[in-house]
């Protein structure tokens, strides 16, 4: 069996596992058959058994959805999910899973995924463990700008849609991204909008509708969002890791995904590689960071359909996006939640500000998980930079704690200056909240 066959086999195996897991979830939050569609995404843990060389696959988080909150509705309390696209929910559920396993390790028990580095007292991902990211649909944004197949375009699709120099242009420069006019009908469109201040879509007919390589934000319902497209967020995770800045305080190295697998839908291998890797590759190589570097995952597609997916062959389909999202995580408590417009389904104005009604993956609760985990350490067992600030951290704001891991922060700031100059900046007020630990943390 060659490498290409292996990739296809793994892709179908992972897709089947994810679709079956989705089917086994309760009905609440799922689309209405024949009337609504959604996207499902998941993080799958892949463990190579040392004893018999077997490979095991286990879903550790899952999310569904395609909605996003407009900038006028954002919350300063960290209690609202700004972005409810399936990929983002699956990733945030995965953060819960990582917190859970670090807590297991801190308690002295054996974690399936982490071991402690005795020198730094930080945690290391086990060598035999890797993580696969699955989505039933191509990520919104740059990866979704794909030439529609025609008989006259055979053999050229993979070469056409490429930004010059393999990177995003500086917004002060002339946009070099107008596509060459070949005998092609059109491109598949993305609803994600080019970020203001950067190169903009030409919006001409046919393949000149979009430019490629540009950073984009997700569309909102009449209100522009500040949430970057899934293509852009994947590109960030490939550089900085999927764990984010809070968890990086406890980790010796970032957590990268080894594979990205897409379900049966409009898909282009070159568009995925362009959007996630090559448009930033040259600039990143010049930055020469040893801890954070572009970790290139294997990218492949399954040929298995998701029965609740958007119709592949009909872009004018009358089915509507499902308004609700499902969030599932392989944690011992509150595994399953359903969200609508960034909050728990069924909330009223009267109880939406009660802490018991917050989604487990909202900023506020993930911040609380960080502080709760910190409280489980003996002070002498903390990484040095946390040990030095231990007495202050409990009263810090979310924004202050996010900046504690200076290596992560410095790399992110360099990336924003050098390769992501138009990445949106949310108002600081949205991250200035604090939390207090309670008995039910």
């Amino acid at each position: 069996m060659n490498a290409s066959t292996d990739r296809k086999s793994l892709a179908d195996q992972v897709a089947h596992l994810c679709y079956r897991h989705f089917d086994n979830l309760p009905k609440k939050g799922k689309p209405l058959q024949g009337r609504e569609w959604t996207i499902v995404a998941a993080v799958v843990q892949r463990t190579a058994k040392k004893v018999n060389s077997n490979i095991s696959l286990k879903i550790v988080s899952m999310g569904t959805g395609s909605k996003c909150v407009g900038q006028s509705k954002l919350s300063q309390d960290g209690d609202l999910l700004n972005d409810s696209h399936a990929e983002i929910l699956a990733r945030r559920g995965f953060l819960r899973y990582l917190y859970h396993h670090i807590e297991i390790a801190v308690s002295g028990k054996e974690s399936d995924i982490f071991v402690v580095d005795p020198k730094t007292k930080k945690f290391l991902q086990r060598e035999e463990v890797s993580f696969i990211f699955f989505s039933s649909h191509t990520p919104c944004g740059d990866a979704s700008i794909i030439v529609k197949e025609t008989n006259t375009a055979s053999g050229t699709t993979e070469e056409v849609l490429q930004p010059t120099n393999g990177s995003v242009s500086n917004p002060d420069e002339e946009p070099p991204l107008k596509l060459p006019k070949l005998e092609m009908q059109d491109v598949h469109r993305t609803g994600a909008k080019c970020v203001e201040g950067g190169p903009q879509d030409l919006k001409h007919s046919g393949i000149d509708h979009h430019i490629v390589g540009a950073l984009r934000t997700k569309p909102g319902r009449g209100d522009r969002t500040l949430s970057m497209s899934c293509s852009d967020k994947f590109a960030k995770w490939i550089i900085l890791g999927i764990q984010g800045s809070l968890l990086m305080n406890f980790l010796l190295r970032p957590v990268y995904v080894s594979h990205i697998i897409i379900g049966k839908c409009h898909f282009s291998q070159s568009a995925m590689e362009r959007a996630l890797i090559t448009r930033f590759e040259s600039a990143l190589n010049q930055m020469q960071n040893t801890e954070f570097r572009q970790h290139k995952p294997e990218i492949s597609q399954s040929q298995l359909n998701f029965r609740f997916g958007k119709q592949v062959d009909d872009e004018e389909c009358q089915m509507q996006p499902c308004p609700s999202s499902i969030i599932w995580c392989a944690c011992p408590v509150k595994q399953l939640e359903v969200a609508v417009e960034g909050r728990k389904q069924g909330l009223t104005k009267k109880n939406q500000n009660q802490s018991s009604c917050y989604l487990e993956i909202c900023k506020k609760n993930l911040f609380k998980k960080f502080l709760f985990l910190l409280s489980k350490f003996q002070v002498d067992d903390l990484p040095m930079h946390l040990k030095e600030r231990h007495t202050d951290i409990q009263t810090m704001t979310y924004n202050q704690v996010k900046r504690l891991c200076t290596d992560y922060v410095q790399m992110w700031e360099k990336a924003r200056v050098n390769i992501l100059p138009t990445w949106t900046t949310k108002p600081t007020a949205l991250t200035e909240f604090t939390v207090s630990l309670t008995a039910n943390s």
Side-chain angles (χ1 to χ4, degrees):
M1 187 179 289
N2 60 35
S4 176
T5 304
D6 282 344
R7 282 196 298 273
K8 290 178 181 178
S9 175
L10 178 65
D12 284 347
Q13 190 178 358
V14 168
H16 176 73
L17 184 69
C18 292
Y19 296 157
R20 185 178 63 188
H21 185 85
F22 174 86
D23 288 342
N24 289 335
L25 293 176
K27 185 177 179 181
K28 186 178 179 182
K30 290 183 177 179
L32 299 174
Q33 187 77 49
R35 292 168 56 187
E36 295 176 340
W37 61 269
T38 195
I39 295 169
V40 62
V43 178
V44 178
Q45 181 175 318
R46 182 178 186 269
T47 306
K49 306 286 186 181
K50 290 183 177 180
V51 177
N52 52 18
S53 300
N54 286 346
I55 302 294
S56 68
L57 298 173
K58 178 177 76 169
I59 295 174
V60 297
S61 71
M62 177 171 281
T64 73
S66 62
K67 299 290 186 179
C68 209
V69 174
Q71 57 185 300
S72 66
K73 297 180 180 178
L74 300 180
S75 170
Q76 296 186 7
D77 298 321
D79 58 341
L80 178 75
L81 293 181
N82 303 336
D83 187 343
S84 292
H85 280 218
E87 298 94 325
I88 309 310
L89 301 183
R91 182 256 178 177
R92 296 183 76 83
F94 181 57
L95 300 186
R96 279 192 69 200
Y97 181 74
L98 294 181
Y99 275 114
H100 172 59
H101 272 271
I102 294 177
E103 188 179 338
I104 289 174
V106 170
S107 72
K109 299 175 184 176
E110 185 171 332
S111 163
D112 291 342
I113 59 177
F114 288 124
V115 292
V116 182
D117 175 60
K119 184 177 179 180
T120 62
K121 300 183 179 178
K122 292 186 176 184
F123 293 89
L124 274 168
Q125 184 178 325
R126 291 182 180 273
E127 290 183 4
E128 66 271 23
V129 173
S130 58
F131 297 102
I132 299 168
F133 204 112
F134 172 81
S135 177
S136 62
H137 198 278
T138 303
C140 67
D142 199 59
S144 288
I145 304 174
I146 303 167
V147 175
K148 292 183 177 180
E149 294 180 8
T150 65
N151 292 333
T152 58
S154 179
T156 62
T157 301
E158 296 298 299
E159 288 75 38
V160 173
L161 301 184
Q162 293 291 343
T164 59
N165 300 324
S167 61
V168 177
S169 300
N170 186 304
D172 296 329
E173 297 175 356
E174 287 294 319
L177 302 168
K178 187 173 180 178
L179 306 178
K181 293 182 181 296
L182 299 183
E183 293 182 40
M184 295 182 182
Q185 295 178 329
D186 206 349
V187 289
H188 294 292
R189 309 290 171 84
T190 177
K193 311 298 182 185
C194 291
V195 179
E196 295 177 358
Q200 299 296 305
D201 284 326
L202 303 173
K203 297 185 178 177
H204 296 167
S205 59
I207 63 168
D208 284 341
H209 182 83
H210 283 309
I211 58 171
V212 293
L215 296 177
R216 295 174 179 269
T217 54
K218 291 169 180 168
R221 299 177 63 182
D223 182 16
R224 191 150 187 161
T225 79
L226 294 176
S227 296
M228 300 302 294
S229 74
C230 287
S231 291
D232 297 328
K233 289 188 176 181
F234 266 116
K236 176 185 175 181
W237 300 337
I238 286 171
I239 300 167
L240 286 161
I242 197 171
Q243 77 294 318
S245 59
L246 289 184
L247 273 166
M248 196 63 214
N249 283 290
F250 300 111
L251 302 177
L252 187 61
R253 289 195 286 267
V255 177
Y256 293 106
V257 296
S258 61
H259 295 72
I260 295 175
I261 296 172
I262 305 298
K264 189 173 183 179
C265 62
H266 298 304
F267 173 88
S268 163
Q269 185 78 24
S270 68
M272 284 287 291
E273 292 174 357
R274 175 195 72 222
L276 275 54
I277 300 168
T278 59
R279 60 177 168 153
F280 307 123
E281 191 169 22
S282 177
L284 279 167
N285 287 340
Q286 296 174 25
M287 291 171 66
Q288 296 180 336
N289 185 289
T290 55
E291 184 174 9
F292 300 97
R293 61 189 185 280
Q294 198 175 44
H295 187 92
K296 301 174 186 177
E298 292 274 355
I299 298 173
S300 57
Q301 184 187 29
S302 166
Q303 293 305 305
L304 301 183
N305 276 314
F306 178 45
R307 66 189 182 96
F308 285 109
K310 196 172 183 179
Q311 296 294 322
V312 171
D313 57 353
D314 184 8
E315 291 190 345
E316 303 302 322
C317 170
Q318 296 303 305
M319 290 174 63
Q320 298 298 311
C322 181
S324 54
S325 296
I326 295 172
I327 306 144
W328 183 90
C329 172
C331 289
V333 296
K334 297 184 180 179
Q335 285 192 337
L336 181 67
E337 295 182 299
V338 178
V340 177
E341 295 185 351
R343 298 188 187 277
K344 272 189 182 180
Q345 187 178 53
L347 283 190
T348 63
K349 288 186 177 180
K350 183 178 179 180
N351 63 13
Q352 72 175 20
N353 292 323
Q354 296 177 9
S355 60
S356 60
C357 296
Y358 298 154
L359 289 163
E360 288 296 302
I361 61 169
C362 72
K363 287 188 186 76
K364 197 156 200 164
N365 270 339
L366 289 179
F367 185 21
K368 185 175 283 190
K369 292 182 195 308
F370 172 88
L371 295 178
F372 181 71
L373 178 59
L374 194 72
S375 72
K376 293 296 181 181
F377 280 82
Q378 297 292 327
V379 175
D380 288 341
D381 291 335
L382 283 168
M384 183 58 67
H385 75 292
L386 294 179
K387 183 178 178 180
E388 292 171 348
R389 305 291 302 275
H390 179 258
T391 56
D392 304 326
I393 293 174
Q394 299 292 341
T395 57
M396 287 183 178
T397 65
Y398 176 72
N399 184 47
Q400 289 172 323
V401 174
K402 277 176 70 73
R403 298 186 65 81
L404 283 175
C405 186
T406 54
D407 290 343
Y408 182 99
V409 172
Q410 288 170 5
M411 181 59 186
W412 177 225
E413 289 176 347
K414 287 179 183 177
R416 291 192 64 159
V417 169
N418 293 297
I419 62 174
L420 306 167
T422 57
W423 192 281
T424 56
T425 301
K426 294 184 176 70
T428 306
L430 298 178
T431 59
E432 290 301 318
F433 60 89
T434 59
V435 299
S436 60
L437 292 178
T438 58
N440 61 352
S441 295

